[in-house]
Amino acid sequence: MAAELGVATTTLRKWESRYGFPLAQRTSARTRLYAPATVDQLRLALIRMANGEKPGVVLRTPFAERLSATPLHDTLAPMLLWLRQGQPEHCDAWLCKQLAQQGLVAFADDVLGPLLWAIGDGWAQQRVRVLEEHSLSTLVQRVLAMACTGATPPVASHPSPTVLLATLSGEHHTLGLSMVESVLRSLGARVVNLGANVPLAEMCAAVLLFDAQVLALSLSPALAPRLTQCELTLLMQQLPPDVCLWLGGGGVAALQRVPPKTQIFTSCRDIASALAGVSARVSCH
């Protein structure tokens, strides 16, 4: 793993001793073996540290571990039960209550993030049926649409930047886009959601058409990592140099490397400061 991720073995051992991560199994010959999930978590941790986060914060609670630490019975299980009892209105009411109590950004990070992860994981393990996954997705979309309608954008001191949202070709999951769109609109951004499965040429054409300052992509774990890496490399070659590329979603952890001038998001709470930076840059031109 040290060679694959470009981290010295002494550094890995120091992190394991100091922070308890990454943990390794040892063979009889005392060779360290790391589980694939640990490699993915460490890859994402390295990206976050490259973006300026401190190792002590990142390594004590890796992103994937934060998601899996949220019990399924607190997020997904009650809603599955309501759906199986033919009572989707209870799911709707619960989501609306959480949104009202926590506010949009905390709701996105602390409720929807773990919930979407749980739905995907449950579907992959065949614990969630297609009709249940689709029903929950529709409910979440409706609540997010209500949040967008009811949100009052703050008074901006700088021009509002335009942010394009999309997923790469072959990626059909859009809930992550909807979640980010709601947060961006609440912060006063001009948002153009291109939706799923967008070819690179169409993304670049849309950037020029809408005079966008940011292109934000949602990457799910369903994407093939090597293909995603190639797509991102080609995209950076075609994007205008003054356009920021933002990446988020569970598929970020599988990236071997991050393109230059790219910002990685593991939390909706980071969007406000990033958007403010783009707004300030726009006002200078």
Side-chain angles (χ1 to χ4, degrees), residues 8 25 30 37 39-40 45 68-69 95 99 103 121 126 143 149 162 166 189 216 224 229 232 236 242 253 256 261 283:
Q25 296 180 336
R30 305 298 294 169
V39 177
D40 285 344
S68 59
L95 288 169
L99 173 61
D121 182 61
Q126 299 183 336
V143 171
T149 303
T162 297
Q229 199 79 63
L232 292 176
M236 290 304 295
D242 59 340
Q256 295 284 349
K261 299 181 181 178
S283 68

Side-chain angles (χ1 to χ4, degrees), residues 99 104 142-153 178-179 181-183 185-186:
L99 173 61
L104 181 55
R142 185 162 65 241
V143 171
L144 287 174
M146 291 169 53
C148 281
T149 303
T152 302
S178 298
M179 183 169 69
E181 179 181 3
S182 300
V183 173
R185 289 191 184 280
S186 74

Side-chain angles (χ1 to χ4, degrees), residues 115-190:
L115 175 61
L116 298 185
W117 180 89
I119 291 173
D121 182 61
W123 183 83
Q125 297 184 32
Q126 299 183 336
R127 294 182 295 156
V128 176
R129 293 182 293 174
V130 172
L131 70 91
E132 293 165 344
E133 190 268 342
H134 287 185
S135 297
L136 287 171
S137 297
T138 301
L139 287 167
V140 171
Q141 292 275 21
R142 185 162 65 241
V143 171
L144 287 174
M146 291 169 53
C148 281
T149 303
T152 302
V155 177
S157 57
H158 299 293
S160 298
T162 297
V163 182
L164 293 189
L165 301 177
T167 72
L168 295 171
S169 295
E171 170 60 85
H172 300 279
H173 298 84
T174 60
L175 275 181
L177 292 182
S178 298
M179 183 169 69
V180 173
E181 179 181 3
S182 300
V183 173
L184 284 167
R185 289 191 184 280
S186 74
L187 294 170
R190 176 181 180 234

Side-chain angles (χ1 to χ4, degrees), residues 14-153:
K14 181 175 73 175
W15 286 346
E16 181 180 355
S17 173
R18 182 174 298 175
Y19 307 118
F21 181 85
L23 290 175
Q25 296 180 336
R26 289 170 173 76
T27 66
S28 57
R30 305 298 294 169
T31 300
R32 283 177 165 79
L33 295 178
Y34 295 91
T38 301
V39 177
D40 285 344
Q41 289 184 47
L42 183 57
R43 183 177 289 116
L44 182 55
L46 292 172
I47 291 171
R48 291 174 60 193
M49 285 187 279
N51 280 338
E53 295 189 59
K54 297 184 182 301
V57 174
V58 174
L59 296 174
R60 284 196 172 95
T61 317
F63 179 62
E65 183 179 314
R66 291 206 310 271
L67 291 183
S68 59
T70 302
L72 276 182
H73 64 79
D74 282 350
T75 53
L76 179 59
M79 285 192 279
L80 284 180
L81 179 61
W82 288 324
L83 284 178
R84 290 165 184 172
Q85 292 174 342
Q87 298 175 319
E89 63 276 7
H90 289 344
C91 301
D92 210 348
W94 185 84
L95 288 169
C96 290
K97 180 180 178 181
Q98 295 299 315
L99 173 61
Q101 288 180 341
Q102 301 194 35
L104 181 55
V105 175
F107 175 70
D109 268 353
D110 302 334
V111 176
L112 287 190
L115 175 61
L116 298 185
W117 180 89
I119 291 173
D121 182 61
W123 183 83
Q125 297 184 32
Q126 299 183 336
R127 294 182 295 156
V128 176
R129 293 182 293 174
V130 172
L131 70 91
E132 293 165 344
E133 190 268 342
H134 287 185
S135 297
L136 287 171
S137 297
T138 301
L139 287 167
V140 171
Q141 292 275 21
R142 185 162 65 241
V143 171
L144 287 174
M146 291 169 53
C148 281
T149 303
T152 302

Side-chain angles (χ1 to χ4, degrees), residues 44 48 53 63 66 109 247-248 252 264-268 270:
L44 182 55
R48 291 174 60 193
E53 295 189 59
F63 179 62
R66 291 206 310 271
D109 268 353
L247 302 178
V252 170
I264 299 296
F265 291 83
T266 59
S267 168
C268 286
D270 299 330

Side-chain angles (χ1 to χ4, degrees), residues 231-240 243 245 259-262:
E231 290 271 283
L232 292 176
T233 300
L234 290 173
L235 177 60
M236 290 304 295
Q237 293 171 357
Q238 299 175 40
L239 274 182
V243 174
L245 179 62
K261 299 181 181 178
T262 301

